[in-house]
């Protein structure tokens, strides 16, 4: 390690939604901002359309297997936004009144659907979120909608951050968009942050924080080898007056756990109350003749509709019949059509009505032959925040098993009866809809191999009003450690029953004026009030009254 210690005003850890949004606004306000990102920085033409080891497909993902829960996330500049399906619904109103496992409202009193709506508006403006019409739905989305209608249910087009005029239906959406159709943060907030002088450093993995004599923070990092993430290419230290942690719900708590020896006691909720967003996947093996006969749907020319290969287009249609606040908790969920990569999907998909093993063997081989007639339904339910992180590994957020992508983590997740109740109800609903009149055979993915699984980890450093059950206050500041803010999915108190990117982003936008105020109190010459990265300013109007109520500085 070099003896020289760098200094910056604000150090941002991670470049996903929480990190990129904070970096842009603070840099635009005049602060010196440095962003450390664990993963590589890939340009558009580097997103490869293949499954080769060492290509972008394995470089930009982080798949961590825990005890009872596995987490799939982004590992690159842009974070989860590079690999997400760009679904951007707002959380239902009832979500903010959930009690979950603690018997009282989990969310801070200051945060509700009403108070978050102006921040949602800002995200819609910044990421060009729009609700497509039915003509823009994918074939599989239309089939899901038709099946729901046939079963007496409803379905809706899903709001998304996708420019359909640029989309070429390459079907590799989950592996990074070469065409800038998907509104990843690499085409909005991050370029805007760079334009205002922010520095982004890829392959920098933060290990721990310690306090400086003047009350700031010293951030220790390792430099990750560009090809083999198990190797280090150096290390260093940066001092900052403010630290924004946005490494993701699977990494932020681990950094704080490792920092406890240097910073002092962490809030009890750091590394506890993890939620997998109640996620569950079902695979339907469709009877194409019945689909044509009953639903009147066919691609024609003898082609099967799901021969999308690879990773597929994102979800375009969802059924929200059970997003009803009058239903009991753990009985509310959404059902989305999507497509998952064969590599993972074929392993975890089970055989409907199997006489032997459900996830391998002769019968599994038979259904694999029909993979082009599979339809995946993504269920997002209400879980019980039962995930707990054990002692942190020596470095990073997991023990890396392979050169890239795969690691073994310290997360333990034992589903409660409440969580299983939600999963079972969602499974039964999918089965009822898609097996009606023989349209398909349906089975949920197995939990036998990697436990439960989530692509939307949440709540491992959650915000709240109760210091005993929340790590952050209602401004996203870490309790007992002023000047440290958490703005990624770990700040979200619990499962949302919908895709969480919109809510994570809105909470990050909401946190920024508080971070600016803390930075100003520490002598940083920074203001708040930048327009959207696109230059639009209309989204500012809705939040100005909220800022004035709290007497936060704006320009």
């Amino acid at each position: 390690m070099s003896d020289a210690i760098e200094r910056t005003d604000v150090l941002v850890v991670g470049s996903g939604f929480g990190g990129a949004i904070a970096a842009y606004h603070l840099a635009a306000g005049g602060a010196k901002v440095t962003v450390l990102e664990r993963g590589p920085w890939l340009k558009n033409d580097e997103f490869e359309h293949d499954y080769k080891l060492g290509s972008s497909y394995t470089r930009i993902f982080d798949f961590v297997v825990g005890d009872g829960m596995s987490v799939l996330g982004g590992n690159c500049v842009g974070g989860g936004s590079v690999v997400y399906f760009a679904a951007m619904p707002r959380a239902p109103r009832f979500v903010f009144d959930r009690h979950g496992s603690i018997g009282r409202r989990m969310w801070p009193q200051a945060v509700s659907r009403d108070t978050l709506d102006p921040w949602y508006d800002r995200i819609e403006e910044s990421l060009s979120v729009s609700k497509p019409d039915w003509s823009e739905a994918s074939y599989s989305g239309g089939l899901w909608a038709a099946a729901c209608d046939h079963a007496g249910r409803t379905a809706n087009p899903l709001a998304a951050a996708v420019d359909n005029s640029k989309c070429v239906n390459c079907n590799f959406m989950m592996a990074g968009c070469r065409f800038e159709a998907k509104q990843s943060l690499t085409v909005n907030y991050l370029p805007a942050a760079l334009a205002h002088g922010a520095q982004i450093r890829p392959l920098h993995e933060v290990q721990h924080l310690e306090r400086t004599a003047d009350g700031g923070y010293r951030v220790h990092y390792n430099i990750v080898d560009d090809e083999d993430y198990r190797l280090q290419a150096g290390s260093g230290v940066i001092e900052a007056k403010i630290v924004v942690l946005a490494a993701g719900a699977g990494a932020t708590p681990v950094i704080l756990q490792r920092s406890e020896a240097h910073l002092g006691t962490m809030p009890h909720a750091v590394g506890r109350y993890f939620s997998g967003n109640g996620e569950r996947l079902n695979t339907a093996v469709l009877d194409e003749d019945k689909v044509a006969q009953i639903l009147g749907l066919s691609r024609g020319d003898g082609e099967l509709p799901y021969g999308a290969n690879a990773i597929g287009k994102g979800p375009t249609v969802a059924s929200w019949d059970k997003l009803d606040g009058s239903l009991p908790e753990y009985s509310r969920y959404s059902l989305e059509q999507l497509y998952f990569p064969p590599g993972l999907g074929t392993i975890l998909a089970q055989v409907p009505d199997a006489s032997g093993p459900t996830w391998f063997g002769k019968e599994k081989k038979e259904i694999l032959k029909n993979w082009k007639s599979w339809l995946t339904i993504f269920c997002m339910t209400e879980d019980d925040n039962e995930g707990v992180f054990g002692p942190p590994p020596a470095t990073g957020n997991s023990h890396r098993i392979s050169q890239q992508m795969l690691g073994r983590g310290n997360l333990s997740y034992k589903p409660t009866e409440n969580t299983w109740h939600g999963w079972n109800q969602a499974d039964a609903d999918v089965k009822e809809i898609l097996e009606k009149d023989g349209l398909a055979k349906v089975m949920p993915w197995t939990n036998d191999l990697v436990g439960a699984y989530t692509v939307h980890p949440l709540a491992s450093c959650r915000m709240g009003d109760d210091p005993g059950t929340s790590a952050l206050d209602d401004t996203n500041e870490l309790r007992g450690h002023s000047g440290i803010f958490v703005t990624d999915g770990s700040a979200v108190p619990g499962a949302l029953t919908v895709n969480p990117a919109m809510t994570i982003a809105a909470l990050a936008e909401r946190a920024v004026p508080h971070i600016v105020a803390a930075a100003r109190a520490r002598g940083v010459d920074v203001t708040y009030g930048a327009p959207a990265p696109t230059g639009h300013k209309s989204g500012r109007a809705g939040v100005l009254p909220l800022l004035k109520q709290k007497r936060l500085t704006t320009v």
Side-chain angles (χ1 to χ4, degrees):
M1 182 177 71
S2 170
D3 292 334
I5 295 179
E6 294 185 71
R7 289 176 174 81
T8 190
D9 291 332
V10 180
L11 193 287
V12 180
V13 183
S15 58
F17 286 103
I21 289 171
Y24 162 62
H25 283 291
L26 288 157
K32 182 180 180 182
V33 176
T34 303
V35 180
L36 301 186
E37 165 59 49
R38 177 185 60 189
W41 193 345
L42 301 187
K43 306 299 188 254
N44 290 351
D45 59 2
E46 293 180 279
F47 294 126
E48 298 159 290
H49 290 183
D50 62 41
Y51 301 113
K52 295 177 181 177
L53 294 176
S55 72
S56 63
Y57 183 59
T58 57
R59 293 181 70 197
I60 62 177
F61 281 102
D62 188 45
F63 185 65
V64 178
V65 180
D67 177 14
M69 171 66 75
S70 293
V71 179
L72 180 66
N75 181 60
C76 55
V77 171
S81 78
V82 173
V83 299
Y84 80 146
F85 276 132
M88 297 292 274
R90 301 185 183 200
R93 185 172 297 274
F94 67 77
V95 159
F96 301 95
D97 293 318
R98 285 196 62 210
H99 284 203
S101 61
I102 62 174
R104 59 175 300 279
R105 192 176 190 269
M106 292 191 292
W107 285 77
Q109 198 61 41
V111 183
S112 66
R113 174 60 187 268
D114 288 336
T115 62
L116 204 57
D117 267 335
W119 303 102
Y120 278 136
D121 292 342
R122 289 191 65 127
I123 297 302
E124 284 195 351
E125 182 179 70
S126 299
L127 299 184
S128 302
V129 176
S130 62
K131 185 177 180 179
D133 59 39
W134 285 109
S135 67
E136 295 174 309
S138 63
Y139 181 94
S140 56
L143 190 149
W144 172 236
C148 288
D149 181 67
H150 178 66
R153 311 298 182 90
T154 69
N156 304 273
L158 185 61
V162 176
D163 183 347
N164 284 308
S165 69
K166 293 182 178 180
C167 180
V168 300
N169 288 306
C170 69
N171 294 307
F172 270 87
M173 186 176 188
M174 197 174 163
C177 182
R178 295 173 62 95
F179 309 102
E180 294 192 358
K182 180 171 69 174
Q183 292 299 293
S184 302
L185 298 167
T186 52
V187 299
N188 38 68
Y189 280 97
L190 290 174
L194 289 169
H196 286 283
Q199 291 188 1
I200 301 175
R201 301 185 187 178
L203 300 171
H204 281 56
E205 183 177 63
V206 169
Q207 303 303 315
H208 71 271
L209 284 60
E210 62 180 340
R211 196 168 279 107
T212 60
D214 63 357
Y217 293 95
R218 188 173 292 123
V219 180
H220 295 255
Y221 62 83
N222 291 340
I223 299 173
V224 179
D225 183 81
D226 188 34
E227 293 185 359
D228 189 340
Y229 297 165
R230 296 169 297 183
L231 305 178
Q232 294 179 22
S235 60
V237 173
I238 299 180
E239 288 187 356
K241 296 177 181 179
I242 295 287
V243 174
V244 178
L245 287 174
T252 288
V254 181
I255 293 171
L256 290 175
Q257 285 179 321
R258 199 181 291 116
S259 300
E260 188 165 31
H262 309 276
L263 294 178
T265 303
M266 286 290 139
H268 175 77
V270 169
R272 291 181 171 86
Y273 304 111
F274 174 92
S275 167
N277 201 35
E279 292 175 0
R280 183 87 162 160
L281 285 155
N282 279 255
T283 296
V285 183
L286 292 156
D287 182 326
E288 299 293 347
D289 291 336
K290 291 286 183 69
V291 169
Q293 175 189 344
I294 296 171
L295 302 182
L297 295 176
S298 172
R299 180 152 293 186
D301 299 324
E303 294 185 16
L304 296 180
Y306 317 101
N309 189 24
I311 297 164
K313 193 171 182 177
T316 58
V317 174
S319 177
W320 292 326
D321 290 341
K322 294 302 175 70
L323 295 187
D324 180 350
S326 68
L327 293 173
E329 197 168 3
Y330 308 105
S331 297
R332 302 171 295 202
Y333 48 84
S334 62
L335 305 174
E336 273 181 14
Q337 140 278 330
L338 57 79
Y339 190 82
F340 248 75
L344 190 61
T346 53
I347 293 171
L348 298 179
Q350 297 187 80
V351 181
D353 303 325
S355 58
T358 60
W359 63 271
F360 72 98
K362 182 178 179 180
E363 291 173 298
K364 179 64 174 280
K365 288 181 179 179
E366 289 302 311
I367 70 162
L368 289 180
K369 294 177 183 178
N370 295 324
W371 70 269
K372 291 184 179 181
S373 291
W374 288 12
L375 179 66
T376 305
I377 303 301
F378 187 34
C379 313
M380 286 167 278
T381 72
E382 295 170 305
D383 70 359
D384 234 349
N385 289 79
E386 49 264 79
V388 178
F389 285 80
T395 62
N397 68 309
S398 67
H399 172 68
R400 289 202 175 273
I401 297 171
S402 62
Q403 179 175 328
Q404 295 169 10
M405 191 172 178
L406 183 61
R408 179 76 187 181
N410 62 338
L411 173 63
S412 174
Y413 188 90
K414 307 299 182 188
T416 65
E417 289 186 12
N418 287 331
T419 297
W420 273 110
H421 176 76
W423 286 346
N424 290 336
Q425 281 205 336
D427 289 347
D429 232 12
V430 175
K431 190 177 184 71
E432 182 179 330
I433 292 168
L434 286 172
E435 291 194 349
K436 183 176 176 62
D437 296 326
L439 281 175
K441 286 289 187 179
V442 179
M443 278 288 282
W445 281 18
T446 178
N447 282 26
D448 296 344
L449 292 177
V450 295
Y453 26 80
T454 183
V455 295
H456 298 136
L458 303 171
S460 52
C461 291
R462 65 185 184 180
M463 63 193 313
D465 290 331
D466 176 14
T469 57
S470 61
L472 314 175
D473 65 18
D474 65 5
T475 72
N476 290 68
E477 192 168 30
L478 183 67
R479 296 185 184 280
H481 301 275
S482 62
I484 297 177
F485 291 81
V486 176
T487 57
D488 56 22
S490 61
V492 177
L496 298 174
T497 68
V498 295
N499 313 74
M502 187 70 167
T503 299
I504 294 169
L507 288 173
E509 280 276 3
R510 179 184 176 276
V512 169
H514 299 287
I515 300 171
V516 168
R520 288 178 63 83
R522 289 168 177 255
V524 179
D525 186 13
V526 59
T527 57
Y528 175 77
T534 54
H536 293 98
K537 298 181 179 180
S538 61
R540 292 172 56 179
V543 303
L544 288 177
L546 301 176
L547 299 178
K548 289 178 180 178
Q549 288 174 16
K550 295 181 178 293
R551 299 180 181 178
L552 294 172
T553 302
T554 62
V555 295

